[in-house]
Amino acid sequence: MNWELFFKAFEKIGSRYIGTALIAFLLFYIIFRKQWLYQKIQQRFPKTKDYLRELSYSLSTIFIFSLIVVILNSPSIGPNTTRYKEMDGMGWGYYYAAFPLMFIMHDLYFYIMHRIMHHPSVFKYVHLVHHQSTNPSPWAAYAFHPLEAIIEQGIVVIFYFTIPIHITHLALFFLFSIIYNVYGHLGYELYPKGFNKTLIGRWINTSVNHNQHHQYFKGNYGLYTLIWDRLFGTIRKDYDQQFEEVKNRTITKKAVL
């Protein structure tokens, strides 16, 4: 066991996640809690026990993610992966082209795995932990059962054995990923009014969309985009209606604890 690599991975993954989630939590759940309540998708806040549950499972996820990094970089496995060390090893054209490729691969992988985890024979053993957050907060982004954490990290395994990958690819891509994941679990919609009906916005996943998934457990399975939900008919029919309802609010309400 390479403990030096494990702690290095734990620090990087953990700081990336905790830093992003903490900023979002402080802004939307502490500092501007009352002022911005009218924009909250569900007009109430989770309880302290919900935050603690989400955070504890998130720490477990960070541990598992770090362990998988160590395994993938072990002497017996590392040399067989497609990783490369030199920044210009594959040329700068490929280096930049790899990011949209990773985006598409992860988006499709997540949709497929997410649909599988919602199968009745799998759901209660793997995905139910994440769905205990029916009114998610930023800390729900990594609140996974250990088995789901392994499944979520499966995309890294796929990256390591399918496309040439540089360590900075992973660092930058998953920084973007956790920022968008925290936004998806934020409980507030940041995109402007009417975004869901625009040419681009129609295909982009939103916080309202994913919040509906947590609230109703059915439909809206996408990660970054709505491409697969629209293609396979799994987007909720009331999605556009709720997006518009949230963005049309103008009256500030008292916080519901």
Side-chain angles (χ1 to χ4, degrees), residues 35-232:
Q35 296 94 316
W36 293 349
L37 173 63
Y38 75 100
Q39 298 180 18
K40 194 168 187 308
I41 298 168
Q42 296 186 49
Q43 292 282 281
R44 67 185 193 281
F45 287 93
K47 297 181 179 179
T48 300
K49 66 177 182 180
D50 296 315
Y51 299 137
L52 293 176
R53 183 194 67 254
E54 291 171 347
L55 185 56
S56 64
Y57 276 111
S58 292
L59 292 175
S60 170
T61 294
I62 294 169
F63 179 91
I64 292 170
F65 282 6
S66 303
L67 185 61
I68 292 176
V69 169
V70 173
I71 294 172
L72 288 174
N73 288 276
S74 64
S76 60
I77 297 178
N80 299 310
T81 66
T82 54
R83 65 180 180 173
Y84 64 94
K85 296 182 179 180
E86 299 299 327
M87 285 293 289
D88 58 351
M90 293 294 295
W92 288 99
Y94 170 79
Y95 180 82
Y96 291 112
F99 288 110
L101 179 58
M102 294 168 71
F103 178 89
I104 295 170
M105 290 172 66
H106 192 197
D107 198 49
L108 178 57
Y109 173 84
F110 181 87
Y111 180 84
I112 293 172
M113 291 299 102
H114 200 180
R115 289 291 303 276
I116 292 173
M117 287 190 293
H118 270 268
H119 191 278
S121 63
V122 177
F123 181 81
K124 65 180 179 179
Y125 300 109
V126 179
H127 198 44
L128 179 59
V129 163
H130 190 62
H131 269 280
Q132 288 180 316
S133 299
T134 55
N135 182 22
S137 81
W139 301 115
Y142 271 4
F144 304 134
H145 184 282
L147 289 176
E148 180 171 359
I150 294 172
I151 293 172
E152 294 284 349
Q153 193 72 338
I155 187 60
V156 177
V157 178
I158 291 175
F159 286 158
Y160 263 68
F161 287 95
T162 57
I163 61 175
I165 199 81
H166 190 273
I167 188 62
T168 56
H169 278 132
L170 297 176
L172 293 173
F173 180 77
F174 284 107
L175 174 60
F176 158 77
S177 180
I178 191 54
I179 290 174
Y180 211 82
N181 201 354
V182 166
Y183 154 69
H185 295 87
L186 183 61
Y188 290 81
E189 184 51 67
L190 302 183
Y191 284 118
K193 180 179 179 181
F195 176 78
N196 58 312
K197 294 291 185 66
T198 63
L199 183 62
I200 296 177
R202 187 172 182 272
W203 302 99
I204 301 297
N205 200 5
T206 65
S207 193
V208 166
N209 186 279
H210 195 65
N211 194 278
Q212 283 190 313
H213 177 76
H214 274 265
Q215 189 175 6
Y216 302 114
F217 286 43
K218 188 175 182 180
N220 301 0
Y221 299 102
L223 177 57
Y224 306 123
T225 77
L226 302 180
I227 293 173
W228 316 111
D229 274 312
R230 293 197 183 279
L231 181 63
F232 295 108

